[in-house]
């Protein structure tokens, strides 16, 4: 097997995608839960969000103070109808009109409300009374928006847990639970008619907890792994997030002609601490999942069944919610602390991405950093690193035959080039030079002859 065994179909993406540094990115959102008594004022949160590349915020309700604080920021706002409000909205169109006139009309368009989610994980709750009222409530909310001349400007949807699927592995076998199929089809037909998204909550975190093997952890954290081949399509999946989304796509395809219904990730995240019986709840894993997820979204590589675009994804969560019941993990998903400092850095700060121009000349960096394989790393592991790096949007043409860095034609040499380029491309974050603990940073420039290794400090 040649040293560079990766498929060239995966490496046609330009470095531009990896270096995509917009002021804010519409496909990166965050969940703003409020089950807490120590959260900062909404105006402070709005200022925090403006210092990041987060483009959208999802609320579970319609808090007027938060909606007003986000006015004129350009940040997209998702507001929610509580499950308990669904019966009234379903039974009385006037209630829906009142809801829209209270929670949307006074704030739009200064507050950029983009979506209303009617209920959260209603269908998988199996509460038949509530389930039967979900679609009528969505229809009444949509009609109220139309009456307020906001139809098409503000979308209407509902949010599902992955439990609505009876099958998800392999992704091509993705199917909705037959018991729910009739209801799911009616909801998705509504979403198709109104160009609304299908919102789902995929959590590789929970997938790992149900299968706590080292190889599963790497698959869930977007880290180098041997991948999983879908026996139905032959597609090799390199991470759980893509596999879960494509299972949803397959389920939608099996339901009918719903290819135009976009998938939206309403929640995904990783707890950074937990109880002694909660596996994988570490700061390192949370940083790896969220940091690599963000890098994956920015690469615009998409999923195998939805290539070349990034699914709108809302990370759970903006803050810890200290009043939530349940295990410790339930209160430990926050990206930021109540004092507005980062719990851990996943590269969301605008300052970390686009340094401001200094008013006085700053000294040039004295040390450059390159990401290199550790001594003793096996060829088998380095081959995984090579395939992983070159399959995630970087340009590995230099280590193809005829390329400036093709010689020496060894796994170690090619892996070193690819691992370093991956690290440099994703913003020089220390966790991007980990590769399952087979990589390290060095100040020694590994460039040789005509082969130049990118390197530098941020």
């Amino acid at each position: 097997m040649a040293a560079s065994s990766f498929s060239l179909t995966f490496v046609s993406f330009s470095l531009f995608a990896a270096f995509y540094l917009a002021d804010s990115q519409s496909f990166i959102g965050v969940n703003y839960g409020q089950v807490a008594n120590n959260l900062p004022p909404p105006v402070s949160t709005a200022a925090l969000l403006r210092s990041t590349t987060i483009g959208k915020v999802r609320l579970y309700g319609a808090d007027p103070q938060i909606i007003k604080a986000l006015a004129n920021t350009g940040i997209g706002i998702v507001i929610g109808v509580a499950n308990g409000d669904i019966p009234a909205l379903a039974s009385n169109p006037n209630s829906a009109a009142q809801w829209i006139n209270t929670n949307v009309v006074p704030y739009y368009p200064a507050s950029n409300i983009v979506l209303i989610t009617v209920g959260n994980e209603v269908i998988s709750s199996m509460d038949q009374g509530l389930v039967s009222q979900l679609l009528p409530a969505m229809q009444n909310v949509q009609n109220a928006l139309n009456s307020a001349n906001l139809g098409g400007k503000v979308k209407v949807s509902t949010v599902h847990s992955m439990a609505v699927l009876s099958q998800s592995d392999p992704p091509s076998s993705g199917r909705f639970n037959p018991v729910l199929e009739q209801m799911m089809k009616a909801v998705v037909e509504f979403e198709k008619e109104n160009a609304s998204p299908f919102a789902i909550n995929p959590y590789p975190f929970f997938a790992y907890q149900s299968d706590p093997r080292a190889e599963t952890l790497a698959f869930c954290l977007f880290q180098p792994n041997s991948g999983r081949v879908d026996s139905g399509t032959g597609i090799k999946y390199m991470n759980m997030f893509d596999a879960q989304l494509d299972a949803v796509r397959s389920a939608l395809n099996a339901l009918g002609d719903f290819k135009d219904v976009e998938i939206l990730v309403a929640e995904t995240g990783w707890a950074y601490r937990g109880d002694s019986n909660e596996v994988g709840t570490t700061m390192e894993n949370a940083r790896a999942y969220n940091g690599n997820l963000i890098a994956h979204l920015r690469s615009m590589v998409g999923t195998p069944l939805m290539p070349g675009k990034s699914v709108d994804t809302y990370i759970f969560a903006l803050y810890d919610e200290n009043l939530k019941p349940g295990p410790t993990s339930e209160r430990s998903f926050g990206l930021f602390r109540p004092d507005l400092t980062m719990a851990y850095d996943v590269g969301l700060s605008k300052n970390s991405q686009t340094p401001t121009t200094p008013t006085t000349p700053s000294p040039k960096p004295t040390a450059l950093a390159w990401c290199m394989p550790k001594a003793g790393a096996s060829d088998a592991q380095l081959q995984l690193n090579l395939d992983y790096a070159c399959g995630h949007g970087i340009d590995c043409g230099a280590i193809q035959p005829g390329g400036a860095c093709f010689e020496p034609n060894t796994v170690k040499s090619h892996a070193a080039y690819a691992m370093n380029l991956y690290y440099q491309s994703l913003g020089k974050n220390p966790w991007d030079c980990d590769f399952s603990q087979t990589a390290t940073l060095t100040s020694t420039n590994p460039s040789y002859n005509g082969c130049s290794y990118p390197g530098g400090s941020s």
Side-chain angles (χ1 to χ4, degrees), residues 305-330:
L305 297 186
M306 298 177 286
K309 62 180 180 181
S310 289
V311 170
D312 280 9
T313 299
Y314 293 77
I315 298 171
F316 189 84
L318 184 59
Y319 301 116
D320 288 344
E321 295 176 84
N322 67 339
L323 298 182
K324 268 195 165 182
T328 298
S329 62
E330 283 291 310

Side-chain angles (χ1 to χ4, degrees), residues 34-297:
Q34 296 170 265
V35 187
N37 62 6
N38 62 348
L39 298 182
V43 289
S44 300
T45 296
L48 169 65
L49 290 167
R50 294 185 74 176
S51 74
T52 73
T53 56
I54 293 167
K56 291 175 182 167
V57 172
R58 178 185 170 215
L59 309 179
Y60 291 87
D63 187 309
Q65 296 305 313
I66 296 175
I67 295 172
K68 284 191 286 188
L70 292 170
N72 303 310
T73 62
I75 293 171
I77 307 166
V78 178
I79 58 176
V81 170
N83 290 4
D85 291 337
I86 288 174
L89 297 179
S91 62
N92 187 350
N94 290 331
S95 292
Q98 184 178 356
W99 198 95
I100 293 299
N101 287 331
T102 300
N103 297 303
V104 180
V105 173
Y107 311 112
Y108 186 91
S111 295
N112 183 25
I113 299 169
V114 295
L115 177 67
I116 298 168
T117 56
V118 179
N120 190 48
E121 301 188 351
V122 170
I123 292 181
S124 55
S125 73
M126 297 298 187
D127 179 334
Q128 293 309 314
L130 202 58
V131 170
S132 67
Q133 296 174 96
L134 176 61
L135 185 57
M138 294 172 69
Q139 291 168 330
N140 283 344
V141 169
Q142 181 67 58
N143 291 336
L145 282 171
N146 295 344
S147 297
N149 294 317
L150 292 174
K153 298 174 184 175
V154 181
K155 306 293 186 180
V156 177
S157 187
T158 187
V159 178
H160 308 285
S161 77
M162 288 292 287
V164 295
L165 273 66
S166 59
Q167 289 176 246
S168 60
D169 186 25
S172 62
S173 74
R175 296 294 184 274
F176 292 116
N177 186 328
V179 174
L180 307 175
E181 195 167 284
Q182 186 175 354
M183 180 64 193
M184 293 300 300
K185 189 166 187 177
V187 168
V188 178
E189 282 176 342
F190 167 88
E191 290 166 345
K192 179 181 179 180
E193 289 169 9
N194 294 285
S196 295
F198 181 87
I200 191 84
N201 294 342
Y203 274 92
F205 171 68
F206 295 128
Y208 172 63
Q209 291 202 312
S210 65
D211 179 20
R213 294 176 294 159
E215 61 197 72
T216 303
L217 182 61
F219 189 66
C220 289
L221 296 181
F222 301 84
Q223 290 177 337
N225 65 92
S226 55
R228 299 183 180 182
V229 176
D230 185 323
S231 57
T233 60
I235 293 170
K236 179 184 277 193
Y237 284 85
M238 300 307 296
N239 66 79
M240 182 67 78
F241 182 77
D242 285 357
Q244 289 183 329
L245 289 193
D246 278 1
V248 175
R249 183 81 267 167
S250 296
L252 287 170
N253 292 345
L255 201 60
D257 181 17
F258 297 118
K259 62 181 181 298
D260 294 332
V261 176
E262 297 282 349
I263 293 172
L264 178 148
V265 174
E267 279 182 31
T268 189
W270 199 284
Y272 65 82
R273 67 183 172 194
D275 297 325
S276 58
N277 64 337
E278 294 187 281
V279 296
T281 52
T282 68
M283 189 77 77
E284 180 182 16
N285 287 344
R287 180 188 292 115
Y289 178 73
N290 288 317
N292 289 334
L293 168 64
I294 290 164
H296 183 54
L297 295 172

Side-chain angles (χ1 to χ4, degrees), residues 250-424:
S250 296
L252 287 170
N253 292 345
L255 201 60
D257 181 17
F258 297 118
K259 62 181 181 298
D260 294 332
V261 176
E262 297 282 349
I263 293 172
L264 178 148
V265 174
E267 279 182 31
T268 189
W270 199 284
Y272 65 82
R273 67 183 172 194
D275 297 325
S276 58
N277 64 337
E278 294 187 281
V279 296
T281 52
T282 68
M283 189 77 77
E284 180 182 16
N285 287 344
R287 180 188 292 115
Y289 178 73
N290 288 317
N292 289 334
L293 168 64
I294 290 164
H296 183 54
L297 295 172
R298 285 177 177 153
S299 76
M300 305 296 282
V301 69
T303 76
L305 297 186
M306 298 177 286
K309 62 180 180 181
S310 289
V311 170
D312 280 9
T313 299
Y314 293 77
I315 298 171
F316 189 84
L318 184 59
Y319 301 116
D320 288 344
E321 295 176 84
N322 67 339
L323 298 182
K324 268 195 165 182
T328 298
S329 62
E330 283 291 310
R331 297 175 293 281
S332 307
F333 279 85
L335 295 172
F336 294 89
R337 302 184 186 95
D339 66 2
L340 306 177
T341 60
M342 286 184 287
Y344 51 90
D345 188 1
V346 291
L348 284 173
S349 169
K350 287 180 182 175
N351 292 335
S352 69
Q353 292 212 2
T354 51
T356 55
T357 305
T359 53
T360 56
S362 56
K364 292 184 178 179
T366 56
L368 304 178
W370 291 266
C371 181
M372 289 289 107
K374 285 182 179 177
S378 69
D379 275 5
Q381 179 62 51
L382 292 177
Q383 184 68 56
L384 286 176
N385 297 353
L386 171 62
D387 292 346
Y388 180 84
C390 291
H392 280 73
I394 65 170
D395 183 1
C396 289
I399 51 176
Q400 289 296 293
C405 303
F406 179 68
E407 297 293 348
N409 182 18
T410 65
V411 171
K412 182 176 181 180
S413 177
H414 290 184
Y417 181 88
M419 290 159 65
N420 178 66
L421 188 55
Y422 179 86
Y423 163 75
Q424 305 293 342

